[in-house]
Amino acid sequence: ARSENDAAPNLRFVHLRPLRAMGDSSYKTISSFRAVILVPYEVLLMTFYELYHVAIPLFLPSIEFSSFFYYRGPVTYPHCGMVLDPTDISQRASPDLEELRRPHPRYSPFARDRVTDRSAWLEAYTDWNRFPHLQRFSSMAGLVDKLMYADLQAVSAAMRRESEAALGDAARYWRAAFSKVLRRGPATAAAR
Protein backbone atom coordinates (compact mmCIF):
# COMPACT_ATOMS: atom_id res chain seq x y z
CA ALA A 1 0.00 0.00 0.00
CA ARG A 2 1.22 3.50 -0.75
CA SER A 3 1.30 6.09 1.98
CA GLU A 4 0.05 9.61 1.27
CA ASN A 5 3.53 11.15 1.65
CA ASP A 6 5.51 8.50 -0.20
CA ALA A 7 5.36 7.42 -3.85
CA ALA A 8 6.82 3.99 -3.07
CA PRO A 9 4.72 1.23 -1.49
CA ASN A 10 5.34 0.25 2.11
CA LEU A 11 6.58 -3.31 2.36
CA ARG A 12 5.76 -5.53 5.30
CA PHE A 13 7.05 -9.09 5.46
CA VAL A 14 5.32 -11.80 7.48
CA HIS A 15 6.84 -15.25 7.83
CA LEU A 16 4.50 -18.24 7.92
CA ARG A 17 5.85 -19.32 11.33
CA PRO A 18 4.26 -16.42 13.33
CA LEU A 19 0.99 -16.88 11.44
CA ARG A 20 0.98 -20.51 12.54
CA ALA A 21 1.84 -19.53 16.12
CA MET A 22 -1.17 -17.16 16.17
CA GLY A 23 -3.36 -19.90 14.70
CA ASP A 24 -3.94 -17.77 11.62
CA SER A 25 -2.20 -19.61 8.77
CA SER A 26 -5.35 -20.49 6.83
CA TYR A 27 -5.50 -20.14 3.06
CA LYS A 28 -7.95 -17.31 3.59
CA THR A 29 -5.31 -15.41 5.56
CA ILE A 30 -2.47 -16.25 3.19
CA SER A 31 -4.53 -15.25 0.16
CA SER A 32 -5.19 -11.86 1.77
CA PHE A 33 -1.54 -10.90 1.18
CA ARG A 34 -0.69 -9.07 -2.03
CA ALA A 35 2.17 -11.46 -2.87
CA VAL A 36 4.17 -14.38 -1.50
CA ILE A 37 7.93 -14.87 -1.52
CA LEU A 38 8.51 -18.57 -1.95
CA VAL A 39 11.77 -20.48 -1.91
CA PRO A 40 10.41 -23.81 -3.08
CA TYR A 41 11.77 -27.20 -2.17
CA GLU A 42 10.26 -30.67 -2.19
CA VAL A 43 7.92 -30.19 0.79
CA LEU A 44 6.44 -27.01 -0.68
CA LEU A 45 5.48 -28.42 -4.07
CA MET A 46 1.75 -28.63 -3.31
CA THR A 47 1.85 -25.23 -1.62
CA PHE A 48 3.34 -23.82 -4.82
CA TYR A 49 0.47 -25.25 -6.90
CA GLU A 50 -2.18 -24.05 -4.45
CA LEU A 51 -0.84 -20.49 -4.27
CA TYR A 52 -0.34 -20.32 -8.03
CA HIS A 53 -3.87 -21.47 -8.78
CA VAL A 54 -5.44 -18.94 -6.42
CA ALA A 55 -3.44 -16.33 -8.38
CA ILE A 56 -1.33 -14.88 -5.59
CA PRO A 57 1.72 -13.31 -7.25
CA LEU A 58 4.71 -15.47 -6.40
CA PHE A 59 8.25 -14.17 -6.11
CA LEU A 60 10.85 -16.92 -6.47
CA PRO A 61 14.64 -16.94 -6.75
CA SER A 62 16.06 -16.99 -10.27
CA ILE A 63 17.37 -20.34 -11.52
CA GLU A 64 20.95 -19.35 -10.70
CA PHE A 65 20.10 -17.90 -7.28
CA SER A 66 17.84 -20.84 -6.41
CA SER A 67 20.63 -23.39 -6.70
CA PHE A 68 21.81 -22.16 -3.29
CA PHE A 69 18.44 -22.99 -1.71
CA TYR A 70 16.77 -25.92 -3.49
CA TYR A 71 16.97 -29.43 -2.10
CA ARG A 72 18.95 -28.58 0.99
CA GLY A 73 16.37 -29.73 3.50
CA PRO A 74 16.18 -32.88 5.60
CA VAL A 75 13.77 -34.55 3.18
CA THR A 76 16.19 -34.96 0.26
CA TYR A 77 19.58 -34.64 1.93
CA PRO A 78 19.97 -38.33 2.86
CA HIS A 79 19.06 -39.31 -0.71
CA CYS A 80 21.07 -36.72 -2.66
CA GLY A 81 23.34 -39.25 -4.34
CA MET A 82 20.65 -41.65 -5.52
CA VAL A 83 20.26 -42.11 -9.29
CA LEU A 84 17.98 -44.57 -11.06
CA ASP A 85 19.79 -47.14 -13.18
CA PRO A 86 18.55 -46.72 -16.79
CA THR A 87 18.58 -50.49 -17.38
CA ASP A 88 16.36 -50.99 -14.33
CA ILE A 89 13.91 -48.38 -15.66
CA SER A 90 13.67 -49.99 -19.09
CA GLN A 91 13.08 -53.46 -17.61
CA ARG A 92 10.25 -52.21 -15.39
CA ALA A 93 8.54 -49.98 -17.94
CA SER A 94 5.34 -51.29 -19.45
CA PRO A 95 5.09 -51.09 -23.25
CA ASP A 96 1.78 -49.22 -22.80
CA LEU A 97 3.60 -46.52 -20.84
CA GLU A 98 6.21 -45.90 -23.54
CA GLU A 99 4.63 -42.56 -24.43
CA LEU A 100 4.95 -41.43 -20.79
CA ARG A 101 8.65 -42.24 -20.48
CA ARG A 102 10.99 -39.31 -20.47
CA PRO A 103 14.75 -38.98 -20.36
CA HIS A 104 16.36 -39.30 -16.96
CA PRO A 105 19.50 -37.38 -16.02
CA ARG A 106 22.75 -39.31 -15.76
CA TYR A 107 23.40 -37.67 -12.41
CA SER A 108 21.32 -36.95 -9.37
CA PRO A 109 19.59 -33.58 -9.78
CA PHE A 110 20.08 -33.19 -6.03
CA ALA A 111 23.89 -33.55 -6.16
CA ARG A 112 25.31 -30.50 -4.46
CA ASP A 113 28.59 -30.64 -6.35
CA ARG A 114 26.92 -30.31 -9.79
CA VAL A 115 25.37 -26.85 -9.57
CA THR A 116 25.32 -26.24 -13.34
CA ASP A 117 23.71 -29.61 -14.05
CA ARG A 118 21.23 -29.13 -11.20
CA SER A 119 20.24 -25.70 -12.49
CA ALA A 120 19.61 -27.10 -15.98
CA TRP A 121 17.52 -29.94 -14.55
CA LEU A 122 15.55 -27.62 -12.29
CA GLU A 123 14.83 -25.27 -15.18
CA ALA A 124 13.67 -28.07 -17.46
CA TYR A 125 11.60 -30.19 -15.10
CA THR A 126 10.24 -28.21 -12.17
CA ASP A 127 6.95 -26.38 -12.47
CA TRP A 128 8.15 -23.55 -10.26
CA ASN A 129 10.59 -22.80 -13.08
CA ARG A 130 8.28 -23.62 -15.98
CA PHE A 131 4.99 -21.92 -15.09
CA PRO A 132 4.45 -18.48 -16.62
CA HIS A 133 3.93 -15.21 -14.75
CA LEU A 134 6.21 -16.06 -11.82
CA GLN A 135 8.26 -13.14 -10.60
CA ARG A 136 12.01 -13.84 -10.34
CA PHE A 137 14.69 -12.20 -8.26
CA SER A 138 18.44 -12.76 -8.32
CA SER A 139 19.31 -10.76 -5.21
CA MET A 140 17.61 -9.37 -2.15
CA ALA A 141 17.87 -5.84 -3.55
CA GLY A 142 16.26 -7.08 -6.77
CA LEU A 143 13.46 -8.67 -4.76
CA VAL A 144 12.68 -5.44 -2.92
CA ASP A 145 12.73 -3.49 -6.19
CA LYS A 146 10.34 -5.94 -7.86
CA LEU A 147 8.02 -6.02 -4.85
CA MET A 148 7.82 -2.24 -4.87
CA TYR A 149 7.13 -1.77 -8.56
CA ALA A 150 5.51 -4.93 -9.95
CA ASP A 151 1.95 -4.62 -11.23
CA LEU A 152 0.59 -7.29 -8.90
CA GLN A 153 -2.98 -7.01 -10.19
CA ALA A 154 -1.82 -7.70 -13.76
CA VAL A 155 0.35 -10.61 -12.59
CA SER A 156 -2.57 -12.08 -10.63
CA ALA A 157 -4.93 -11.72 -13.58
CA ALA A 158 -2.46 -13.45 -15.90
CA MET A 159 -2.00 -16.29 -13.39
CA ARG A 160 -5.78 -16.67 -13.13
CA ARG A 161 -6.13 -16.91 -16.93
CA GLU A 162 -3.33 -19.48 -17.07
CA SER A 163 -4.98 -21.58 -14.34
CA GLU A 164 -8.34 -21.48 -16.10
CA ALA A 165 -6.74 -22.70 -19.34
CA ALA A 166 -4.83 -25.42 -17.45
CA LEU A 167 -8.05 -26.58 -15.81
CA GLY A 168 -9.62 -27.12 -19.22
CA ASP A 169 -6.53 -29.02 -20.43
CA ALA A 170 -6.52 -31.18 -17.29
CA ALA A 171 -10.23 -31.95 -17.63
CA ARG A 172 -9.74 -33.08 -21.25
CA TYR A 173 -6.73 -35.21 -20.28
CA TRP A 174 -8.50 -36.97 -17.41
CA ARG A 175 -11.67 -37.45 -19.43
CA ALA A 176 -9.63 -39.24 -22.11
CA ALA A 177 -7.66 -41.24 -19.53
CA PHE A 178 -10.77 -42.44 -17.69
CA SER A 179 -12.47 -43.23 -20.97
CA LYS A 180 -9.49 -45.34 -22.03
CA VAL A 181 -9.40 -47.21 -18.71
CA LEU A 182 -13.16 -47.77 -18.59
CA ARG A 183 -13.26 -49.13 -22.17
CA ARG A 184 -10.79 -51.84 -21.15
CA GLY A 185 -13.06 -53.03 -18.40
CA PRO A 186 -12.16 -54.15 -14.86
CA ALA A 187 -10.68 -57.53 -15.83
CA THR A 188 -8.37 -56.07 -18.48
CA ALA A 189 -7.29 -53.18 -16.28
CA ALA A 190 -6.61 -55.51 -13.32
CA ALA A 191 -4.44 -57.79 -15.50
CA ARG A 192 -2.07 -54.94 -16.28
Side-chain angles (χ1 to χ4, degrees):
R2 294 182 189 274
S3 69
E4 292 178 22
N5 300 329
D6 192 1
N10 293 319
L11 298 178
R12 186 173 68 102
F13 298 88
V14 179
H15 194 281
L16 186 57
R17 194 170 292 133
L19 291 176
R20 286 183 181 144
M22 294 184 304
D24 195 19
S25 60
S26 68
Y27 282 108
K28 181 179 180 181
T29 298
I30 293 169
S31 67
S32 72
F33 289 94
R34 296 179 58 223
V36 170
I37 301 166
L38 183 70
V39 179
Y41 71 110
E42 65 277 15
V43 175
L44 292 177
L45 183 57
M46 295 312 296
T47 302
F48 165 78
Y49 290 127
E50 292 164 347
L51 294 174
Y52 187 92
H53 292 302
V54 294
I56 299 173
L58 295 172
F59 288 78
L60 295 95
S62 66
I63 304 276
E64 299 79 16
F65 197 38
S66 66
S67 66
F68 296 105
F69 305 110
Y70 291 169
Y71 301 108
R72 297 204 179 263
V75 176
T76 55
Y77 182 72
H79 310 289
C80 286
M82 298 177 77
V83 179
L84 293 173
D85 181 356
T87 57
D88 185 44
I89 294 169
S90 64
Q91 291 171 357
R92 287 187 294 152
S94 165
D96 288 341
L97 298 177
E98 192 67 34
E99 63 185 309
L100 299 177
R101 293 179 61 204
R102 61 178 177 241
H104 293 275
R106 294 182 302 269
Y107 58 89
S108 171
F110 311 113
R112 295 167 191 245
D113 60 341
R114 300 191 68 161
V115 174
T116 302
D117 293 330
R118 279 181 44 202
S119 295
W121 183 86
L122 289 166
E123 185 174 11
Y125 293 108
T126 56
D127 287 339
W128 53 66
N129 286 309
R130 297 178 60 232
F131 276 30
H133 316 298
L134 299 169
Q135 306 303 296
R136 300 284 175 196
F137 61 93
S138 56
S139 68
M140 297 313 288
L143 170 62
V144 170
D145 186 60
K146 288 187 176 207
L147 285 167
M148 289 178 60
Y149 300 108
D151 184 348
L152 298 178
Q153 288 182 326
V155 171
S156 181
M159 291 171 74
R160 187 169 284 109
R161 284 190 302 274
E162 184 67 28
S163 291
E164 288 169 0
L167 180 61
D169 292 343
R172 284 186 289 282
Y173 171 84
W174 286 109
R175 188 177 301 116
F178 285 129
S179 176
K180 186 176 180 179
V181 169
L182 294 174
R183 275 194 305 245
R184 290 184 180 170
T188 308
R192 295 196 177 267

